[in-house]
Structure formats: C-alpha cells, structure tokens
Amino acid sequence: MANGFMGKLLNVDLAGGRLTEEPLDETLCRDYVGGYGLGARLLYERIPKGADPLGPQNVLGILTGPLTGTAAIIGSRFVAVAKSPKTGGWGDANCGGHFGPHLKFAGFDGVLFSGISAKPVYLFIDEGRAQLLDAADLWGLGVTALEDLLVQRHGKGTQVCSIGPAGERLALSACIMNDKERAAGRSGLGAVMGSKRLKCIVVKGKMAVPVHDAQQMKELRKKYLKQATGAFEVFNRYGTAGITHDAILSGDAPVKNWGGAGATDFPSQRGRRISDEAVVSLEGYKSYGCWHCPIACGGRVTQTGGRFPLTLNDGVGHKPEYETLAMFGPNLLNDDLASIVKLNEICNNLGMDTITVGATIAYALECCENGLLSRQQTDGLDLRWGNAEAIVALAEKIGRREGFGDLLADGVWAAWKRLGRIGTEYAVHIQGEEIPAHDPKFTPGLASTYWLTATPGRHTQGGELVAGPGVAVPDVDKYAYSGRAEGHHILVAAVEVVNAAGLCLFGYLSYPFKAVLEQLAAATGEAWDMGRILTAGTRIYTMRHAFNLREGLNPLARNMPGRIVGEPPLREGNVKEITVDYRMLAREFLERLNWDPRTTVPEAETLEQHGMEFLADDLRHANVAPA
Amino acid sequence: MNIKLVCGSETLLDSWPGEIPPTVEQLLNTVKKTHPQAAANWCDEKGRLRASLAVFINGEHIRYRQGLRTELKEADEVYVIALIAGG
C-alpha cells in the first residue's frame, strides 16, 4: 500500500445499490499524487465520452490526498470530481473543514459514485463498514438542519458532506457542503450529486493514516509552525476578509459586474464597511479553523436583529470570506455587511456557490438597469444596484428555484440563454463558469489561467495570484505579456501538486514551500524536489485537460468576457487603460508545454515524457477543431 | 512634512522628517527599516522593492504617475497593499 493512503477506494453503484471496495493503484498514486490528479486519471476511464453530466454515466468522486488527515500543514482538504454540467467538461471543486480527514479515518481514500438511485439515499461509513441508507426523511432539508440531525443520529465524531435544496433541484449553482459552511463550490457538482439522488455522505472513524515516517511528520510540523510567513498574518487576523478593501482599491475585485471602478463606483470608505476590521468586529465574532489548522481563517458571528437577522443556529452564522464579500459587495454595489452575512447563510444552507450566485445576480441587475428586464419579470423585485433587500430575496428564490430565481439557478450562461440571450456583455463567464473576484487587469497572468485551465474561470489553479513563499519564478514586469510562460508553468505545477496532495492553498501561501516538499517525502517515503513538482504537476494539469480534449473541447475556442481583460479598457480606477494580451500569454504557455498551438493537443513526445502514452490514440482521434 | 504611509489597517508613518519631499521609493525604503516585519512582503529575495508592489498615492496607483520615482508632496497619503491572494 502506498504511504499516506488508506489503500482503498469505495465504488458505489447507486442504481443497483452495490458497494465494492477497490485497492488503490500504487503506481497511479505515485504518478498523479492523489486528490483530483488521481480522480482525473480514474474518471477519464470510467466516464465515457459524451456522457450526460446529470445522467447515470457520470461518476462523482470524493477523493483525498496523501497528506489529508496527516500532521502536514494543512492537510484538511478533499476534492469532488465529475464531468461538469456547467461547462460540459472536466469538473472539480476543493474543500476544507473536517470531512476530508475523517473520510480517511473511516477507512477510505475516496468514494466513486456511479448510476442513479431510484430513491434518495445517503452513504454511511463507520470504521470501514459502508452502507447505503434511505434519505427520504432528509430530502428537502437545508444543510444546517441536515448536519444537526445526522450528528444526533450517528453520534459524536460524525462528519457530513451534503447537498442542500439547490443541489436536489439540479441547480448548476449548487455545491457540495460540509461543516455547514465549507463549500466545494465550483463546477456545479452539487447538481451532479443531486442528479444521483445522493443527499449526503456521513463518515465516522478513528483509523490512523499510515505514513512513511510519522515521527518526521511531527517534527516537520513543529519546525514549520514556527516559520509562518507570507499571508499568515492577514489570514490569521481576518481570514480572507482581510483583503477585501485592498482588492477593491487596487482594481482586483469586480465592481458593478466588472464594468465599474472602485475609485468612482465603490470608493475606499464603502470598501472599509465590508472588509477586515468591520468583519471581525461583527457581534459575537470568534475565529475557528479547519481540521488541525494553525491559521484558523474561519469565523462565526451572531446576527439576531436588524434588517437581516440570521434564522438558523440561533442566529449564529459564518463570517463571509473574500469571494462572498466581493461578489455580493462591490460587484453589486452593496456595502451592507449585514446583508452579505445573510446572503452567506442563505447560500450555505441551500448549498450554493457564492461566486456563481453573486455573478448571476449582477447580470440580472444590469439587465434591469438597462431596461432589458421588467419588474414584472423579476416577480416584482426592485433589482437595483445596492438594493440589499431585493438581492437577499433573489438569492433565496434562486436556491429554491422559485419564480424568477428558477431562471437564474443554473448560473449566468444558462440565464442568458433562457432570457433570450439578452445583455451578452453583462453575462460574465468563461464556458459557463462565472469569474471569481480576482481581475486579470490587476494580475494579467490570471487571464490565461482562467482561459486555459481544465476548469475555466478558476483562481486557485496557479495563476500568478498564487505564489507561495519560496516558489521562485522569473522576475518579469507585471504588464509584460511575453516571457511569463516559465513562471506560469512553475506556479501551475506547484498548485496542482498542493491541491492533489490534500493541502490547503492558504498553508501554501503562509509557510515556506520547502515544507510541502519535506512533508510529501516524509509521508510517502519518496523523494520530492522542484523537478518532481514540475513533472507531477504538469502530468495532473495534462490529465484534467485530456478529459476535455476527448470531449472535443478546445480552450482556445472558449469565450473571453471583454470586461475582465479590458476590451474595451476601463476609463477610471486603478486598472484603467489596461488591455490584457491573453492570447500572447496563452500562446507562449502552450509552447512551453509543447502542446499544439491551435488544438492544444499535447505533442506525442510530451505525452511520452510524462508516461501518458495511453492518451495518444484517443487524442489523435479527438475531434478538436483548431482555433 | 505631513506625508502618511499606511499599509492595510496600520499607519506606519504619519509624518516625514525634513523639508525635502521624498520619492515613493525613498519613503518605502525608510519605512522598511523602521517596520521590517510589516514590510517583509515588499521586497524580493535580494531586498529590493518588488516591481509588482501595489502602491497608491491618495488612492491612485503609482503606475499612473512616475512609479516608485514619483515625488510626494505635502498631505499625500501613500497606501501599500500588504497582500492580494486568496478567497
């Protein structure tokens, strides 16, 4: 058995109710690290080309990495993988909390769900024993009540990942939730889980994760905990809420659906109302962390009065984080922090991705502003920028697929199509995935990341925004579009490995990168250096991409919303007059990877170099139109 | 001189000693010495100010002026972003 792993996967055939254990392939673990690396490799073979993402042939995987549930800093993550109903291509979403480690403590590195159950069910794993149970009484519950009920039913130590009503109703804005507020948010995977009539996965267990050198793991933890650097201080004090004001000021955050500028549309004093000190000054604020996390970026707050009282958990909710603050804040010209706390509660409980919901509401607001939608069409809601009451009401309707909310529940792209393709400029997405709150006009390298990566519009896939301390990349002028490919490649590879290993990106941003190498070596017993990071990370990146190529999807054929790359450029603010040459960034990156510059199919020698010759035939016959 | 330097929620300098106004670079290099911890992320491995450091004068990015060579004047507030990542 490979070190760092429990050594087995659980296959669940939901149509037949059959559960079968499968030994983990050690070679795949070595080559693809774990998590979504392993997931992409396995699902490439198990999901047939052309499968309906919401049909029985799609496979939903919940997978951990070799460092999940170990002493590593910070091994709290798991990943959900499947074909995405949002993009029609590869889908994955990464999440922290306590569920991932406890899946391993219950005895499995991952679970792969195929088929569709005839009735709502849930999977219960207790110390290695797995069974499918009836979920008739759970179907329809919000995430909060569901977790409370299951902990009561299955006892102390129970951990749950689940979908809310949005996932049950196959909303493509749906995510997979755990710890009541942690979301595997992107790619619409909550809808995949809902399509399988799988309400939740419940795990319990105390099994130890076998590692190569447990003593060394402990010593590394002790050593590196003293070396906190980079983002640690901000994340420790505020969580990601600590960057909100600065992101608005700098031009990194979207303002008015990416069409506005902080300086003129959402000036500094408004940004301060929904950022750092304002957030941690909320009533009852108390920070908390994911499993064994020294950063503890999460927080709970109490909101029992005012215009937006929280209605669950006796009025105790979760501190909104940066993406939520930005997408419901400057993106909607809304500086009412209480409303954003409420929106966070709604999205968490109904199980929705706050990036998707924020972007889709912004689209609706702009359509209303420009007379493309009437008040009659919006169920009487007065959808104006910054109208917090209407925004909160609309989010609730989206999660429940009620009235106008039903039209928006599948995200921007679907809404645009359903509404007769109105307001094309306001529908900000790439291939159906809404853009997270980091603007390529502020960090140009993100443009090609958003455009090319297997899960488009993803800020956690190694664009230049995410450089861990000690990850050396060539020093290139920020707005030089040529000469960035090497740096992009290093950062992509580093992040692919960090994600696949089950580590949290905030640990990567807060501790020296050497910690990742040494922890991987101590856990697996294998040698890890930057050379291997580059090789393994490139292999994972290629595997995720190959899933899309086989579907005939060429990232160069994806749309690019003009607003996020400055086509036309903004005339105000701190990213004014900037147009990002994303095509040059992409061209040089493809050249660096030795992928075809028009089809993006990797050259045969590149596949061979990464031990991926098995893809050659499929990709040769893939119907990828040159762009 | 009444020149301020703010980083995140901390005011690192609330007046500039002397009567000759500094450039942004001079101001940052001075504060780097007095507040090494706060300024830890400002520099590369060789101790040079990062070209990508996000610095604003009265809310405007220095790229729209003369960058680090911009000469400051009375009542200017310089703002440095401590971190952009995450979320």
Side-chain angles (χ1 to χ4, degrees):
Chain A
M1 179 171 64
N3 288 308
F5 294 93
M6 307 309 287
K8 58 184 179 180
L9 297 172
L10 181 66
N11 288 296
V12 180
D13 167 15
L14 288 162
R18 283 181 297 274
L19 281 64
T20 50
E21 292 184 9
E22 171 186 352
L24 207 53
D25 183 321
E26 285 196 34
T27 309
L28 293 190
C29 292
R30 195 188 58 229
D31 290 349
Y32 293 89
V33 185
Y36 67 14
L38 185 63
R41 178 69 183 86
L42 292 174
L43 267 51
Y44 183 84
E45 287 179 356
R46 299 182 191 196
I47 301 174
K49 176 186 173 184
D52 174 1
L54 299 179
Q57 290 183 314
N58 201 3
V59 177
L60 172 68
I62 303 288
L63 294 155
T64 60
L67 297 182
T68 307
T70 70
I73 307 168
I74 303 162
S76 63
R77 311 295 286 194
F78 73 95
V79 67
V81 293
K83 186 174 184 183
S84 166
K86 283 187 99 174
T87 65
W90 173 251
D92 57 48
N94 183 302
C95 194
H98 292 75
F99 180 82
H102 284 81
L103 174 58
K104 284 175 89 171
F105 304 156
F108 292 94
D109 296 298
V111 188
L112 303 177
F113 296 94
S114 58
I116 291 180
S117 173
K119 57 178 189 172
V121 290
Y122 73 103
L123 177 70
F124 177 48
I125 308 176
D126 186 3
E127 289 285 350
R129 293 177 302 276
Q131 54 184 320
L132 277 176
L133 298 173
D134 184 43
D137 62 327
L138 308 178
W139 205 251
L141 287 182
V143 168
T144 302
L146 176 77
E147 286 201 23
D148 287 343
L149 190 152
L150 288 167
V151 170
Q152 199 175 27
R153 181 181 293 176
H154 294 291
K156 203 177 160 199
T158 297
Q159 297 293 336
V160 181
C161 89
S162 69
I163 53 168
E168 293 174 12
R169 291 170 171 82
L170 312 187
L172 304 191
S173 54
C175 44
I176 297 173
M177 303 292 301
N178 60 284
D179 292 48
K180 294 185 181 175
E181 69 115 15
R182 298 280 170 192
R186 317 286 354 248
S187 296
L189 299 186
V192 175
M193 194 156 154
S195 75
K196 296 190 173 302
R197 298 200 183 89
L198 175 68
K199 178 66 177 173
C200 53
I201 305 160
V202 180
V203 294
K204 267 182 90 173
K206 291 182 178 169
M207 295 186 196
V209 179
V211 292
H212 169 69
D213 189 338
Q215 185 56 33
Q216 175 72 352
M217 290 291 290
K218 278 186 200 160
E219 281 168 20
L220 287 171
R221 182 177 180 87
K222 204 169 151 193
K223 170 179 148 185
Y224 281 110
L225 281 179
K226 292 179 197 151
Q227 296 184 32
T229 181
F232 180 87
E233 198 187 332
V234 172
F235 286 170
N236 179 247
R237 276 171 77 175
Y238 307 111
T240 54
I243 69 166
T244 311
H245 166 271
D246 291 359
I248 298 165
L249 169 74
S250 66
D252 187 38
V255 175
K256 204 180 179 189
N257 197 23
W258 303 92
T264 46
D265 298 296
F266 208 82
S268 191
Q269 66 272 24
R270 295 190 73 188
R272 284 279 175 223
R273 288 180 198 141
I274 58 167
S275 186
D276 50 279
E277 290 297 335
V279 176
V280 300
S281 300
L282 285 165
E283 188 188 338
Y285 170 72
K286 193 167 183 225
S287 74
Y288 71 91
C290 294
W291 185 81
H292 286 202
C293 174
I295 299 175
C297 68
R300 292 195 177 85
V301 297
T302 304
Q303 195 162 286
T304 50
R307 289 189 300 160
F308 303 105
L310 301 183
T311 50
L312 304 166
N313 283 321
D314 300 321
V316 178
H318 293 269
K319 165 176 73 85
E321 297 298 332
Y322 170 68
E323 289 294 336
T324 306
L325 289 159
M327 296 308 289
F328 289 131
N331 192 43
L332 307 180
L333 299 188
N334 175 28
D335 60 5
D336 186 326
L337 181 54
S339 74
I340 301 176
V341 173
K342 181 67 185 175
L343 285 156
N344 201 35
E345 181 189 59
I346 291 168
C347 289
N348 288 341
N349 189 51
L350 300 180
M352 294 188 290
D353 173 34
T354 57
I355 297 173
T356 302
V357 176
T360 311
I361 292 178
Y363 166 71
L365 297 188
E366 197 159 2
C367 284
C368 287
E369 182 188 37
N370 288 285
L372 301 177
L373 280 174
S374 68
R375 202 152 162 178
Q376 198 179 4
Q377 285 173 288
T378 64
D379 303 336
L381 291 175
D382 181 12
L383 295 182
R384 275 179 293 110
W385 298 108
N387 185 355
E389 280 91 352
I391 291 165
V392 168
L394 182 54
E396 184 89 31
K397 284 164 103 40
I398 290 172
R400 299 193 183 282
R401 297 206 83 130
E402 288 172 359
F404 183 57
D406 182 44
L407 292 173
L408 306 186
D410 296 323
V412 161
W413 198 20
W416 171 76
K417 285 187 268 192
R418 280 190 193 127
L419 289 166
R421 303 180 181 237
I422 57 171
T424 301
E425 189 190 346
Y426 321 144
V428 182
H429 69 93
I430 298 178
Q431 201 187 322
E433 195 67 88
E434 298 78 8
I435 309 302
H438 292 291
D439 192 328
K441 297 190 294 297
F442 179 72
T443 307
L446 273 179
S448 50
T449 306
Y450 287 169
W451 203 39
L452 295 181
T453 194
T455 49
R458 184 73 61 88
H459 62 299
T460 51
Q461 289 306 144
E464 289 174 57
L465 187 71
V466 189
V471 179
V473 292
D475 191 16
V476 182
D477 179 77
K478 185 170 175 175
Y479 289 99
Y481 300 107
S482 182
R484 311 199 81 87
E486 184 186 351
H488 189 172
H489 188 192
I490 292 167
L491 294 172
V492 160
V495 168
E496 291 283 24
V497 173
V498 166
N499 285 338
L503 292 174
C504 174
L505 274 181
F506 294 172
Y508 160 78
L509 290 171
S510 301
Y511 293 91
F513 191 71
K514 267 177 72 181
V516 174
L517 301 174
E518 292 178 22
Q519 290 172 148
L520 271 168
T524 63
E526 298 161 12
W528 276 93
D529 59 14
M530 278 312 289
R532 185 164 174 194
I533 291 283
L534 208 58
T535 306
T538 307
R539 188 181 293 119
I540 295 168
Y541 190 82
T542 306
M543 195 65 243
R544 295 166 70 241
H545 178 63
F547 188 96
N548 289 343
L549 288 175
R550 191 178 56 175
E551 296 287 337
L553 298 171
N554 179 351
L556 301 178
R558 289 170 176 163
N559 66 308
M560 174 62 90
R563 287 182 174 185
I564 70 165
V565 289
E567 289 178 348
L570 287 175
R571 297 295 174 211
E572 300 286 346
N574 281 315
V575 287
K576 67 184 174 188
E577 311 302 346
I578 287 168
T579 300
V580 179
D581 189 349
Y582 64 96
R583 292 183 186 281
M584 178 180 285
L585 292 169
R587 193 163 54 243
E588 293 195 357
F589 187 56
L590 294 173
E591 196 177 307
R592 163 99 189 170
L593 294 177
N594 199 22
W595 293 2
D596 184 281
R598 296 186 65 216
T599 64
T600 74
V601 173
E603 299 296 344
E605 76 232 43
T606 306
L607 292 175
E608 199 178 325
Q609 187 191 341
H610 289 97
M612 304 177 88
E613 301 90 335
F614 63 92
L615 291 172
D617 264 1
D618 278 359
L619 299 187
R620 200 174 304 121
H621 297 113
N623 190 21
V624 184
Chain B
M1 291 186 77
N2 181 21
I3 291 174
K4 269 170 80 172
L5 176 68
V6 181
C7 180
S9 53
E10 282 183 80
T11 300
L12 302 180
L13 184 126
D14 55 14
S15 67
W16 175 255
E19 302 199 348
I20 302 168
T23 63
V24 174
E25 189 167 16
Q26 285 167 335
L27 181 78
L28 294 176
N29 279 327
T30 300
V31 174
K32 206 172 81 179
K33 288 178 196 148
T34 56
H35 295 76
Q37 214 171 352
N41 293 335
W42 298 0
C43 301
D44 61 19
E45 296 74 25
K46 290 176 185 159
R48 294 174 304 206
L49 290 168
R50 290 182 193 281
S52 58
L53 190 66
V55 183
F56 305 82
I57 302 169
N58 306 327
E60 184 183 37
H61 198 288
I62 57 170
R63 104 169 53 89
Y64 300 108
R65 298 190 180 196
Q66 280 80 50
L68 289 170
R69 293 193 305 277
T70 307
E71 197 166 288
L72 296 164
K73 55 183 176 31
E74 175 72 12
D76 275 347
E77 180 176 312
V78 177
Y79 188 86
V80 183
I81 285 190
L83 168 75
I84 284 287

